[in-house]
Amino acid sequence: MFAISHRLLCRLLNGPQHSRFQTGIPPERNAGNEAVQLSAEQWFFINGIATGQNWLQSNLDRLALTFRREMIGIRNPTKGILFDLIECLVQRDLNYRTGDIRAGCVVIKEALESPRLQKVVLILHSQGGIEGSAIIDWLCADVSDSALAKLEVYTFGNAARHFNNPIRYFAHPQNRIPHVANRPQPLNLIESRPSERVIRHIEHYANEDDFVAKIGVLKFSPSVAKKSMKVNPFHGAVYTRKATGHLLNQHYLDFMFEMKDGIVQESNPFMDSLVDSNGAVSEEALCNGDAAIGSNVCTTRQVVAMKSLSRLWGYRNGRTPAMSASEAHGESRGTW
């Protein structure tokens, strides 16, 4: 009875769900912005918990304004904070694919397999990280390596406990046999390169005192997790900010992509912060390295600005980041 009453109350407050998708349309790009081949890109966003239609639209509008791309929102509808939290546990810990996960998988799979598109970008927030993780698991089973390589993933306050990214497999050029439909290459002719993954770009952004991130990406990612989690499959660079808060616009985008008069500023404290090549931002990590805390030994690791590591930063104001070496040469190498 409580569940029914709660559902009816949420329906009265949020109104009926008209569609699983919403769209954020960017304003016209200024003449000084670099041209973007919109016809070859598709951007998706999955929202977090307790997000109604208006709140989702504000997220989509902010993302569209920040990156000057059309954003397709795969709506994760709210059922109220209590039932949203229960749904998170069911999705994350029982691996149950809800309707919005299945709908998202269909549209993203279609985009990846479209010959018209060269790049598919997926932005995730909060519970959206759980749903995005489940979608990637599904895509790994149903989509070819070459199609999945189009995908780029960026998360904020990610609540997921794993984030898979399969190893790429290459046929030895001197041993490669002619392709035959439904016939894989013999295993003795295949080599793996563990350092190379199918999804070339995955980045996670998290506030260090964001409670959701602390039970998600900051707990389970091997790059920042405790020793017991070092073998957990959570792939992607993790960039942290010494701050609290979980809301996408207010606590993440407003600080990481500061805007003035509708334009992302070229400088802000987060993107200007000095980090090592692994994205570590703590002074102890920068000064002491592996030495004992309190020592005067300083690391010789290369220190750079966060903006030089962040690929997502390269998309601001309609720009396009430089192509990586693996992207530049990937098409010329055989993949299986």
Side-chain angles (χ1 to χ4, degrees):
M1 188 64 185
F2 171 76
I4 296 174
S5 301
H6 185 275
R7 190 66 179 267
L8 290 174
L9 178 61
C10 290
R11 178 66 176 267
L12 290 173
L13 293 174
N14 295 312
Q17 178 178 322
H18 299 291
S19 172
R20 287 195 182 276
F21 306 98
Q22 291 178 228
T23 305
I25 305 297
E28 292 186 11
R29 292 187 297 279
N30 295 332
N33 291 334
E34 297 178 17
V36 178
Q37 298 296 327
L38 294 179
S39 61
E41 294 183 9
Q42 186 67 73
W43 288 55
F44 295 96
F45 170 69
I46 304 179
N47 60 277
I49 68 170
T51 301
Q53 290 180 342
N54 289 351
W55 208 342
L56 171 58
Q57 192 62 53
S58 71
N59 289 160
L60 292 170
D61 291 342
R62 178 61 158 86
L63 290 167
L65 183 61
T66 300
F67 302 111
R68 295 298 198 276
R69 269 86 168 178
E70 180 179 300
M71 296 285 165
I72 296 178
I74 301 170
R75 189 179 176 214
N76 166 27
T78 182
K79 304 168 185 66
I81 186 67
L82 176 61
F83 285 94
D84 281 0
L85 290 174
I86 294 174
E87 183 181 59
C88 284
L89 294 176
V90 171
Q91 291 174 333
R92 190 176 90 154
D93 298 325
L94 300 181
N95 296 319
Y96 180 74
R97 274 58 167 166
T98 51
D100 39 326
I101 293 177
R102 296 193 292 271
C105 186
V106 170
V107 296
I108 294 174
K109 182 174 183 286
E110 289 178 353
L112 291 172
E113 293 180 338
S114 170
R116 177 181 64 84
L117 297 175
Q118 298 176 7
K119 182 183 299 182
V120 177
V121 179
L122 178 60
I123 299 179
L124 309 168
H125 175 235
S126 184
Q127 183 188 4
I130 299 174
E131 300 198 353
S133 173
I135 288 172
I136 290 173
D137 290 347
W138 223 332
L139 293 174
C140 288
D142 292 341
V143 177
S144 68
D145 280 8
S146 59
L148 199 56
K150 298 178 182 180
L151 185 64
E152 298 183 15
V153 186
Y154 304 97
T155 79
F156 295 89
N158 191 348
R161 68 174 183 174
H162 77 278
F163 226 83
N164 284 324
N165 190 3
I167 295 172
R168 298 188 74 190
Y169 287 88
F170 298 86
H172 296 287
Q174 66 274 22
N175 295 328
R176 188 171 178 84
I177 61 177
H179 174 74
V180 178
N182 300 319
R183 176 182 171 185
Q185 296 286 325
L187 292 180
N188 63 330
L189 301 184
I190 299 296
E191 66 172 336
S192 67
R193 300 178 186 175
S195 62
E196 296 190 37
R197 299 279 172 172
V198 174
I199 304 174
R200 296 188 178 105
H201 304 289
I202 301 178
E203 294 178 352
H204 307 285
Y205 296 84
N207 289 331
E208 291 184 0
D209 293 321
D210 176 352
F211 173 74
V212 176
K214 290 173 75 171
I215 62 173
V217 60
L218 297 182
K219 180 177 181 180
F220 292 104
S221 174
S223 62
V224 294
K226 296 180 179 178
K227 186 176 181 180
S228 61
M229 296 293 177
K230 291 300 183 183
V231 296
N232 193 57
F234 204 112
H235 295 279
V238 180
Y239 301 134
T240 61
R241 173 174 167 264
K242 290 183 177 295
T244 187
H246 181 63
L247 301 181
L248 179 63
N249 289 5
Q250 181 177 342
H251 299 128
Y252 281 102
L253 297 180
D254 283 354
F255 290 95
M256 297 180 178
F257 296 86
E258 289 185 6
M259 303 195 79
K260 183 178 181 181
D261 299 327
I263 301 295
V264 177
Q265 299 300 287
E266 293 301 307
S267 177
N268 67 66
F270 174 73
M271 286 298 175
D272 291 340
S273 61
L274 296 179
V275 297
D276 66 17
S277 56
N278 295 320
V281 296
S282 70
E283 293 180 0
E284 291 173 357
L286 291 176
C287 182
N288 297 317
D290 296 327
I293 294 176
S295 73
N296 293 322
V297 179
C298 288
T299 180
T300 57
R301 287 179 294 176
Q302 183 181 13
V303 177
V304 296
M306 178 71 77
K307 64 176 65 174
S308 67
L309 297 179
S310 170
R311 180 174 175 84
L312 187 59
W313 175 254
Y315 285 109
R316 70 196 184 283
N317 296 327
R319 298 178 183 176
T320 300
M323 186 178 294
S324 66
S326 61
E327 289 173 311
H329 302 291
E331 295 301 323
S332 62
R333 296 180 299 188
T335 61
W336 175 58

